[in-house]
Amino acid sequence: MSPPTRLGVVGWPVAHSRSPDIQNAALEAAGLRDWRYQLLPVPAELFEETVKALPAAGFRGVNVTIPHKEAALRMATEPTPRARAIGAANTLVFEAGRIEADNTDAPALIDALPSAPTGMTAQVLGAGGSARAAVWALLDAGAAKVWVWNRTPERARALTEELGGAPVRSSRPADILVHCTSTGLDGSDSTFKQLPVTADDLARYDCVVDLVYTSHETALVRAARERGISVVDGLDLLVRQGALSFERFTGRPAPLEVMRAAAALGDG
Ligand code: NDP
């Protein structure tokens, strides 16, 4: 019997990741029975030497999460233009000695929106790695204006100087609100104390996107749903970026509904 083709998610910490459940369900549904997807807890100082060793250990590719996305891009021999522009990669594919790198967070956001953001306005909250992908994706998809707020304003200014959009000190009304800070993990209403929007301010947006995903509904998602606003939640984005990575790893179409069901199973 030949050894399995291996995949995984490299992060630190990574124990909480839903990706193994989602990806293993997809592999099974696609009939790829000799493929396995596993957690790979790797601290920053060991990232490069570990990734270099993965192809010889039977790995076809890996997803990359906090804090390695920028280091992953630096290791790539063939980054996609969008990974290079965003400055971070979340998907590495090992191909005959080469390392291909992509950022699937960006197209996942555009796929998840109820309609293409062409000509629309967006307010992005945050200026970290996921905000960079969001700003790039929205502008690349033709958004008319993207405002960026961040707790540390200098980072919003630096991000917009590099990628486009405009830094703001308070939130603007817009078609789309995209929450990219790491607040909200506890599900409590204290999220709103740390953001420049109140629950009632959400009525100023037609669509609210929350990148944060937890085992329960976030306060932001709950407040938006209560007000009848269209919502894209973090689990939906996680599944969609994972589906795009799956297609790069396997060359097969991703079974999106199977992946969604696997993600929902652990949700609660
Ligand atoms: P980063 O660490 O790169 O950035 C964190 C951001 O959160 C910064 O803008 C930071 O602001 C802000 N922040 C942190 N604490 C606070 C606070 N108390 N109040 C206000 N702002 C705060 O993280 P990422 O961008 O990679 O990830 C952000 C979130 O998105 C995480 O929860 C992550 O799990 C989630 N995510 C979800 C994905 C999905 O598929 N659903 C994909 C990628 C990320 P400052 O600059 O001031 O420190």
Side-chain angles (χ1 to χ4, degrees), residues 66 69 105 126-131 149-152 155 180-183 194 211-213 234 237-238 241:
I66 287 176
K69 289 184 185 180
D105 290 331
S130 61
W149 172 92
N150 193 51
R151 175 180 64 174
T152 312
R155 289 188 78 193
C180 302
T181 83
S182 44
T183 64
Q194 298 168 66
L211 267 74
V212 177
Y213 66 94
L237 290 169
L238 181 76
Q241 62 80 25

Side-chain angles (χ1 to χ4, degrees), residues 46 50 72 87 95-96 179 200 247:
L46 296 180
T50 305
E95 183 72 56
H179 175 228
D200 285 331
E247 290 175 357

